[in-house]
Amino acid sequence: MKTPTTRFLLSLTTAMLGLGACQDAAQPIDEKALTQRMALYAEATIHEAGPAMSFAMADEGTVKKIMGSTSSAGSSVAPAMLAVLPPTAMLRAMVGPRVTNQMVGFAAAPSMLTTEEQFDEAGKEIRRMMQERLFVDANFESKTNDTATYLLHADPTCRPLTQDTDPVGFVPEIDASCADDFAKVAVRLAVRADGDGGRLTILIGPGRLELAAFIVHSDEIAVEVDLPKAKTAADYIQQQIPDGNPIGEFDRLAGKLRGSLKKVGSQKVTVALAILEPLDIAPKGDLELKSAATNPLIALTSSGITQTAQVQIGLGATDVGTTWDPQNMGLSNRDLHVVIGGLYGQLALDEGQKQILLTDVGIAQSKVTVRGATIVDLNLNADTMRRFSGKVTSNVDGTARLEITPKFDLSLGFDFNAVVADFTSPPDAIFAHETYGVTLANAGAATIIEEVVSSATFGGGIRIVAGTLTLAAASVPAETLTVPAGKCLTSQSPVAAGAHPILGALIVADCP
């Protein structure tokens, strides 16, 4: 059975609690009213996410395909967040099985529910867990003027929620594994008012170590993880409930992350990940990651009514250090560094129009170094704020059309000669010491290119509709390729003797 609509839930909250505004700091906390309000707000926000995101989650949808290509921005920090999850039995007790399955990647049981109904069921489950298993009199421990603390007990926290099919008066048995976990590790929930909702901090063990904090407002659910604090709490859990998979040790660990789900309109939500405090993550014997604070790192705003979505990317200065071992000798070091000055821009995706609008998309100066020597140097639009705008459209025949303004001017330099001694044989000439340039320009107007599929008479390539495409290598200026409007760029084989291996494989030709 589906949960009530968002409007009904919010109206019910106000009617029952009379608490549409934030908690008066001068008054002692009313923990029952606050936790009830948080439970209803959480369900309402998750309910709104169903119709907002169901089209975006479709496997064949444009949005999901695009998000797949941008998800790498968060892939380095995701393991750090997952590492702090408590044991599965304990997690299920706190957020319910449906949400636990999604968080830890379990294969959910086959369901006949639609995506919207699954969101509704998850929201309902979280609301009931808060109301019936967490913030109950049996778990209440103490309170100060502004904070209420709940100490979770196996009864009722470890009792599964009753189902509509259960007989009247049925009381589920306590989950033994869950009860064993709570007997070994004390888990407290400290709750205080925050805006028109509340902030819930998970505290672990007798030292009340902070694992994570959840913020629930009338229009948003968020989780914040302070990595050093979470590591300490997670280590304590692992000591008390060892599972054979310890988190491991770090040479350095710093940073704070935030994930959020926010309602921004009718059937419209934003899912975002932010770096609230700079990351410095260096597991012993593994790669290291440094990344500046940024909010958002990535955000997806999705509207179920218009079937559109906007992706905002805001990666700050980032340095990833990993192993440099060109001879595959099994070395362990962090000599190879990928240094990204920043990655930014907005992508507006329209499922109905099958197009993507690009706004101020770009990458700041970036490079790859080995022991401080630069072996790759990337520069994009260095004289136009290192960014461009434009549009990608899917033509009726399935080919793509790309418009770019004011230009796309990429310089990519290689200098593997700087580390030539690390190789058993000299680096390939195309990477030894060379600078390549790719330019799309049209005197400030939009440059337009289209995909051309292969046929019996044409090998496939791109057509320049407006503007000029230029491909160059610094070592062979005479082999520069210039493709004017009306011409096509395609490949040729074999490459002529003595020609540049890359430029010589391309040719300017008449379009079919």
Side-chain angles (χ1 to χ4, degrees):
M1 180 176 180
K2 294 183 67 176
T3 59
T5 64
T6 303
R7 180 176 299 177
F8 175 77
L9 286 170
L10 296 181
S11 298
L12 179 62
T13 303
T14 303
M16 288 179 59
L17 307 175
L19 292 169
C22 61
Q23 179 89 21
D24 185 346
Q27 298 297 322
I29 185 173
D30 183 343
E31 70 278 0
K32 291 188 177 181
L34 175 59
T35 55
Q36 285 290 318
R37 187 164 79 254
M38 291 172 65
L40 291 168
Y41 282 164
E43 181 181 17
T45 299
I46 296 172
H47 168 87
E48 198 74 50
M53 299 189 65
S54 58
F55 85 96
M57 297 177 66
D59 290 335
E60 70 279 4
T62 304
V63 174
K64 190 168 185 179
K65 293 177 181 178
I66 295 297
M67 283 301 295
S69 66
T70 60
S71 61
S72 59
S75 62
S76 296
V77 297
M81 295 191 74
L82 292 174
V84 304
L85 292 179
T88 302
M90 186 180 291
L91 185 63
R92 283 175 177 268
M94 290 190 286
V95 300
R98 186 178 298 275
V99 178
T100 300
N101 289 348
Q102 296 297 323
M103 294 175 70
V104 300
F106 290 168
S111 174
M112 298 298 292
L113 299 178
T114 66
T115 301
E116 292 184 29
E117 290 170 338
Q118 290 183 53
F119 270 95
D120 279 350
E121 289 299 312
K124 177 182 178 180
E125 188 171 86
I126 288 178
R127 188 257 303 162
R128 290 189 61 201
M129 289 301 303
M130 295 173 73
Q131 292 177 331
E132 302 174 27
R133 295 293 183 262
L134 301 180
F135 302 118
V136 295
D137 291 343
N139 288 336
F140 180 77
E141 184 179 42
S142 63
K143 72 175 179 178
T144 62
N145 194 60
D146 64 355
T147 303
T149 301
Y150 292 80
L151 173 61
L152 303 186
H153 295 93
D155 188 7
T157 307
C158 291
R159 291 189 187 276
L161 292 170
T162 57
Q163 304 299 310
D164 293 341
T165 55
D166 291 333
V168 176
F170 174 73
V171 179
E173 293 186 1
I174 294 174
D175 181 275
S177 177
C178 173
D180 185 55
D181 287 347
F182 279 108
K184 295 176 180 176
V185 175
V187 178
R188 289 177 171 84
L189 307 180
V191 186
R192 61 179 174 82
D194 187 296
D196 66 355
R199 183 181 184 93
L200 180 163
T201 304
I202 302 176
L203 304 174
I204 301 297
R208 304 196 179 196
L209 306 171
E210 179 181 321
L211 183 67
F214 290 84
I215 302 92
V216 182
H217 294 165
S218 61
D219 62 351
E220 183 177 32
I221 304 172
V223 56
E224 295 180 358
V225 179
D226 183 299
L227 295 182
K229 292 181 180 179
K231 171 68 164 58
T232 301
D235 282 345
Y236 175 81
I237 294 175
Q238 183 66 216
Q239 292 168 3
Q240 308 305 313
I241 313 175
D243 61 2
N245 296 298
I247 296 175
E249 297 302 317
F250 290 76
D251 292 327
R252 302 186 310 278
L253 181 62
K256 188 174 184 179
L257 303 171
R258 187 179 199 270
S260 61
L261 171 65
K262 184 178 179 66
K263 296 185 295 182
V264 292
S266 177
Q267 297 186 27
K268 187 175 183 180
V269 299
T270 296
V271 181
L273 175 65
I275 302 176
L276 297 183
E277 296 177 5
L279 297 180
D280 188 356
I281 303 173
K284 285 187 178 296
D286 205 342
L287 62 76
E288 62 181 3
L289 168 68
K290 295 181 180 180
S291 194
T294 181
N295 189 5
L297 171 63
I298 186 168
L300 167 65
T301 299
S302 181
S303 171
I305 294 177
T306 62
Q307 299 280 287
T308 59
Q310 291 77 44
V311 179
Q312 182 176 352
I313 302 171
L315 178 68
T318 298
D319 184 339
V320 179
T322 188
T323 301
W324 172 251
D325 186 13
Q327 297 185 38
N328 297 316
M329 299 173 62
L331 301 178
S332 177
N333 57 57
R334 293 172 181 150
D335 290 347
L336 177 65
H337 283 258
V338 179
V339 183
I340 302 172
L343 185 66
Y344 35 78
Q346 296 182 2
L347 293 79
L349 305 107
D350 189 320
E351 192 72 32
Q353 296 295 321
K354 302 298 182 185
Q355 71 176 19
I356 307 169
L357 295 179
L358 310 174
T359 303
D360 290 335
V361 174
I363 182 171
Q365 183 175 11
S366 301
K367 58 185 178 180
V368 179
T369 67
V370 174
R371 297 186 298 275
T374 299
I375 61 173
V376 181
D377 187 12
L378 183 152
N379 282 275
L380 173 67
N381 287 9
D383 59 351
T384 55
M385 300 182 67
R386 301 187 182 277
R387 61 194 70 202
F388 63 89
S389 298
K391 178 170 61 176
V392 181
T393 306
S394 178
N395 295 323
V396 176
D397 61 0
T399 59
R401 176 186 175 96
L402 171 64
E403 301 180 23
I404 289 180
T405 186
K407 65 178 180 178
F408 181 92
D409 185 4
L410 175 68
S411 172
L412 192 59
F414 294 92
D415 188 10
F416 277 75
N417 281 344
V419 290
V420 66
D422 294 346
F423 295 89
T424 55
S425 57
D428 193 298
I430 62 174
F431 301 120
H433 188 75
E434 183 66 279
T435 299
Y436 297 96
V438 180
T439 304
L440 282 165
N442 191 21
T447 301
I448 304 174
I449 64 176
E450 288 186 333
E451 177 187 5
V452 180
V453 298
S454 60
S455 65
T457 58
F458 186 74
I462 57 174
R463 174 190 295 111
I464 307 302
V465 179
T468 302
L469 167 63
T470 304
L471 304 173
S475 66
V476 286
E479 292 190 43
T480 297
L481 287 172
T482 301
V483 191
K487 291 290 187 177
C488 281
L489 179 70
T490 186
S491 60
Q492 66 174 357
S493 183
V495 177
H500 191 278
I502 295 177
L503 297 181
L506 302 171
I507 187 173
V508 181
D510 292 333
C511 297

